[in-house]
Amino acid sequence: MMSVDYAKGKFLINCPFSHNDLVRSMPNRRWRKGDRLWVAPAIKPNVKMVKQFVEDGNARVSVECKKFLAEYVDVKPVSKSAGFPTWFNFKTKPRKKQMEVLNFAYDLPASAMFLAMRVGKSKIAIDLASAYFIEGKTKAMVVIVQKTLRGNWLDQLKQHCPIDYDFVKMDTSKPEVFKKWADSDLGDKIKVLTVSVESLGVGSAKKMLSYFLRVNPESMCIVDESSKIKNHKALRTDACIEVGKEAKYRIILTGTPISQGIIDLYAQYEFLDTNIIGVGDFYAFRNRYAVMGGYENKEIVGYTNTDELMELIAPYTIQVSKKEAFEDSIEPNREVRYIEMTAEQKAHLKAMRRASTAEDYSVRNVLEAMMREQQLCGGFYTKVRFEFGKVFDKEAGCEIDAEIRIPEKFRIEGANPKISELCDIIDSGEYGRQILIWSIYTDEIREITRSLAEKYGADSVTFIDGSVDEDERIYRVNDQFKFGKVKFLIANPTVGSMGLEMSAADTAVYYSSSFKYEDRKQSEERTFNSSKTKADTIIDLVMMNGDKQTSDGDVLEAINNKQNVSEFVKSRINELKSRG
């Protein structure tokens, strides 16, 4: 029989060898070699298991441990109100599923909303915050969001918020101005603070946000697209979890279904409340719910105990799929336009594949080779030159002479087959007046913009990429494109695929596709609008080398398999390496 003591929030367990497997079944425990005993934090699942050990006659407990078990209080049961207030005067009438989410989440101190894209996550959050403010339950709303989407929340407030508000984007360069605003009493206005999730990993943003929540404790704190804090090792994740504890209400918003990222749930629910899952740390979570295998047993190959996990998170979680929210929504039409490479493109491709270790063409791995090939399909090629220069050596702690690798990109002269095909699509008149064009490379975006401006007029086209600041992006999408002032919008999916509505277009053309499936999934939703009566069209431009597939086809194949390209490459590495 094992003996269990309790001290300073930990169980101290002595047990015979025959009982070691019982202790190992605890989700969070470690062997303290010096004292020759097991140490386990007194978290919810461990408390439950110690009680079970005693009940089954496998353990006896000390006086201190018996007292702790008797006094232990589990997570407070979720108390439900009668639902969202019936007196609330909506600025925009909620749809059926939106109302279901509002009724579910109202008065929950922590809620996870797994809502498909375009369900209206921001509207729901704004309605909740507004109702809380009117009832005197909150005075502020904090939105932790991707930097490029902060302005989108202002647009959503203008559209949906029925009360007065004071909207501020956190500016870490002006701490005194921020402190004065945080300390102020705005009376009948709710404070709305947007914080870029990226900033929480560096600088003073975490300190400033923590101060705001301390002086405004009656706050609702939201993490928008909470997959951005799924990495348990990231500083931004730790910051969100730490400062979130100071908010009265906490909400995570994401469009990623639970089933697609079970291992990613840990950090998101830690932000909501560390006691919801209650295993103590990520590795205990992984040991409890993931099946490890693969190389050196370090890859997740499956999941276990998922029924238990779903039971733990269910009281705080609501899911709405796109099909549930939009029962009559129309699936988009899909087309693939296969385009033949020019002779010059083929020559560059042949040289790149045959001379990958030569001085002018250098490809360090398969993913880089695919990226270079994709750029080649879009009308550009890269040469790498090497020269000697000074570089800082961390081990030596000083600068040393070394060979420096310098990639240089060049435009392929002559006709660009993809742009020619794009113009044929436009000129056919079959795809609507406004067209959205996705491209992942800056040089491509500039080339497409220049070509369309030359043919259709400079006032017919605009673009958004990393060089365009967030306010200008909002203007180009919500003013120029939304209201038909420009016909063509060229966008980088890593910049424009989240949060921005581009439903003025009925057609989206993928000049080149991101290597990340999430970027593709998000970008495809930008043209969706529940009020549309006909299907959108999605067109992929895929370059061919005769009857051989290029990386354009590989990327599309990965997307059709709902994979990131890196995952696709792992499964096809030998074939891709040998393709000539």
PDB file of all heavy atoms in Angstrom, residues 136-148:
ATOM      1  N   GLY A 136     -23.754  47.192 -15.828  1.00  0.00           N
ATOM      2  CA  GLY A 136     -22.764  47.572 -14.830  1.00  0.00           C
ATOM      3  C   GLY A 136     -21.795  46.466 -14.459  1.00  0.00           C
ATOM      4  O   GLY A 136     -21.093  46.552 -13.449  1.00  0.00           O
ATOM      5  N   LYS A 137     -21.732  45.425 -15.288  1.00  0.00           N
ATOM      6  CA  LYS A 137     -20.844  44.298 -14.999  1.00  0.00           C
ATOM      7  C   LYS A 137     -19.435  44.504 -15.538  1.00  0.00           C
ATOM      8  O   LYS A 137     -18.486  43.871 -15.074  1.00  0.00           O
ATOM      9  CB  LYS A 137     -21.431  43.003 -15.585  1.00  0.00           C
ATOM     10  CG  LYS A 137     -22.746  42.591 -14.935  1.00  0.00           C
ATOM     11  CD  LYS A 137     -23.318  41.350 -15.603  1.00  0.00           C
ATOM     12  CE  LYS A 137     -24.601  40.913 -14.916  1.00  0.00           C
ATOM     13  NZ  LYS A 137     -25.207  39.724 -15.569  1.00  0.00           N
ATOM     14  N   THR A 138     -19.280  45.333 -16.553  1.00  0.00           N
ATOM     15  CA  THR A 138     -17.962  45.638 -17.108  1.00  0.00           C
ATOM     16  C   THR A 138     -17.865  47.122 -17.414  1.00  0.00           C
ATOM     17  O   THR A 138     -18.874  47.814 -17.585  1.00  0.00           O
ATOM     18  CB  THR A 138     -17.686  44.869 -18.423  1.00  0.00           C
ATOM     19  OG1 THR A 138     -18.637  45.274 -19.404  1.00  0.00           O
ATOM     20  CG2 THR A 138     -17.724  43.378 -18.236  1.00  0.00           C
ATOM     21  N   LYS A 139     -16.621  47.572 -17.508  1.00  0.00           N
ATOM     22  CA  LYS A 139     -16.355  48.941 -17.929  1.00  0.00           C
ATOM     23  C   LYS A 139     -15.426  49.000 -19.137  1.00  0.00           C
ATOM     24  O   LYS A 139     -15.206  50.074 -19.696  1.00  0.00           O
ATOM     25  CB  LYS A 139     -15.736  49.732 -16.775  1.00  0.00           C
ATOM     26  CG  LYS A 139     -16.679  49.966 -15.617  1.00  0.00           C
ATOM     27  CD  LYS A 139     -16.049  50.827 -14.540  1.00  0.00           C
ATOM     28  CE  LYS A 139     -17.026  51.090 -13.397  1.00  0.00           C
ATOM     29  NZ  LYS A 139     -16.415  51.924 -12.329  1.00  0.00           N
ATOM     30  N   ALA A 140     -14.885  47.832 -19.516  1.00  0.00           N
ATOM     31  CA  ALA A 140     -13.906  47.832 -20.609  1.00  0.00           C
ATOM     32  C   ALA A 140     -13.906  46.499 -21.337  1.00  0.00           C
ATOM     33  O   ALA A 140     -14.265  45.457 -20.771  1.00  0.00           O
ATOM     34  CB  ALA A 140     -12.506  48.124 -20.068  1.00  0.00           C
ATOM     35  N   MET A 141     -13.515  46.556 -22.593  1.00  0.00           N
ATOM     36  CA  MET A 141     -13.316  45.362 -23.415  1.00  0.00           C
ATOM     37  C   MET A 141     -11.914  45.409 -23.987  1.00  0.00           C
ATOM     38  O   MET A 141     -11.510  46.408 -24.598  1.00  0.00           O
ATOM     39  CB  MET A 141     -14.346  45.300 -24.554  1.00  0.00           C
ATOM     40  CG  MET A 141     -14.138  44.110 -25.484  1.00  0.00           C
ATOM     41  SD  MET A 141     -15.499  43.854 -26.678  1.00  0.00           S
ATOM     42  CE  MET A 141     -15.240  45.206 -27.808  1.00  0.00           C
ATOM     43  N   VAL A 142     -11.156  44.336 -23.780  1.00  0.00           N
ATOM     44  CA  VAL A 142      -9.795  44.219 -24.319  1.00  0.00           C
ATOM     45  C   VAL A 142      -9.816  43.153 -25.410  1.00  0.00           C
ATOM     46  O   VAL A 142     -10.321  42.045 -25.195  1.00  0.00           O
ATOM     47  CB  VAL A 142      -8.788  43.822 -23.228  1.00  0.00           C
ATOM     48  CG1 VAL A 142      -7.413  43.567 -23.834  1.00  0.00           C
ATOM     49  CG2 VAL A 142      -8.708  44.903 -22.160  1.00  0.00           C
ATOM     50  N   VAL A 143      -9.278  43.471 -26.563  1.00  0.00           N
ATOM     51  CA  VAL A 143      -9.197  42.516 -27.668  1.00  0.00           C
ATOM     52  C   VAL A 143      -7.729  42.305 -28.013  1.00  0.00           C
ATOM     53  O   VAL A 143      -7.031  43.235 -28.442  1.00  0.00           O
ATOM     54  CB  VAL A 143      -9.960  43.009 -28.914  1.00  0.00           C
ATOM     55  CG1 VAL A 143      -9.915  41.938 -30.000  1.00  0.00           C
ATOM     56  CG2 VAL A 143     -11.396  43.355 -28.570  1.00  0.00           C
ATOM     57  N   ILE A 144      -7.248  41.095 -27.793  1.00  0.00           N
ATOM     58  CA  ILE A 144      -5.890  40.704 -28.180  1.00  0.00           C
ATOM     59  C   ILE A 144      -6.004  40.059 -29.551  1.00  0.00           C
ATOM     60  O   ILE A 144      -6.660  39.029 -29.712  1.00  0.00           O
ATOM     61  CB  ILE A 144      -5.278  39.743 -27.155  1.00  0.00           C
ATOM     62  CG1 ILE A 144      -5.222  40.407 -25.773  1.00  0.00           C
ATOM     63  CG2 ILE A 144      -3.881  39.305 -27.590  1.00  0.00           C
ATOM     64  CD1 ILE A 144      -4.842  39.456 -24.644  1.00  0.00           C
ATOM     65  N   VAL A 145      -5.361  40.666 -30.531  1.00  0.00           N
ATOM     66  CA  VAL A 145      -5.616  40.281 -31.916  1.00  0.00           C
ATOM     67  C   VAL A 145      -4.372  40.526 -32.754  1.00  0.00           C
ATOM     68  O   VAL A 145      -3.483  41.291 -32.362  1.00  0.00           O
ATOM     69  CB  VAL A 145      -6.820  41.099 -32.464  1.00  0.00           C
ATOM     70  CG1 VAL A 145      -6.503  42.588 -32.502  1.00  0.00           C
ATOM     71  CG2 VAL A 145      -7.275  40.615 -33.830  1.00  0.00           C
ATOM     72  N   GLN A 146      -4.303  39.861 -33.875  1.00  0.00           N
ATOM     73  CA  GLN A 146      -3.216  40.076 -34.821  1.00  0.00           C
ATOM     74  C   GLN A 146      -3.128  41.561 -35.174  1.00  0.00           C
ATOM     75  O   GLN A 146      -4.142  42.224 -35.383  1.00  0.00           O
ATOM     76  CB  GLN A 146      -3.495  39.251 -36.082  1.00  0.00           C
ATOM     77  CG  GLN A 146      -2.352  39.151 -37.058  1.00  0.00           C
ATOM     78  CD  GLN A 146      -2.716  38.214 -38.208  1.00  0.00           C
ATOM     79  OE1 GLN A 146      -3.391  37.214 -38.019  1.00  0.00           O
ATOM     80  NE2 GLN A 146      -2.266  38.551 -39.396  1.00  0.00           N
ATOM     81  N   LYS A 147      -1.924  42.082 -35.217  1.00  0.00           N
ATOM     82  CA  LYS A 147      -1.721  43.525 -35.402  1.00  0.00           C
ATOM     83  C   LYS A 147      -2.486  44.074 -36.598  1.00  0.00           C
ATOM     84  O   LYS A 147      -3.110  45.146 -36.525  1.00  0.00           O
ATOM     85  CB  LYS A 147      -0.236  43.826 -35.553  1.00  0.00           C
ATOM     86  CG  LYS A 147       0.078  45.308 -35.732  1.00  0.00           C
ATOM     87  CD  LYS A 147       1.569  45.554 -35.885  1.00  0.00           C
ATOM     88  CE  LYS A 147       1.849  47.044 -36.080  1.00  0.00           C
ATOM     89  NZ  LYS A 147       3.292  47.312 -36.245  1.00  0.00           N
ATOM     90  N   THR A 148      -2.468  43.356 -37.692  1.00  0.00           N
ATOM     91  CA  THR A 148      -3.074  43.859 -38.919  1.00  0.00           C
ATOM     92  C   THR A 148      -4.598  43.863 -38.868  1.00  0.00           C
ATOM     93  O   THR A 148      -5.244  44.407 -39.768  1.00  0.00           O
ATOM     94  CB  THR A 148      -2.626  43.006 -40.120  1.00  0.00           C
ATOM     95  OG1 THR A 148      -2.931  41.632 -39.860  1.00  0.00           O
ATOM     96  CG2 THR A 148      -1.133  43.156 -40.357  1.00  0.00           C
TER      97      THR A 148
END
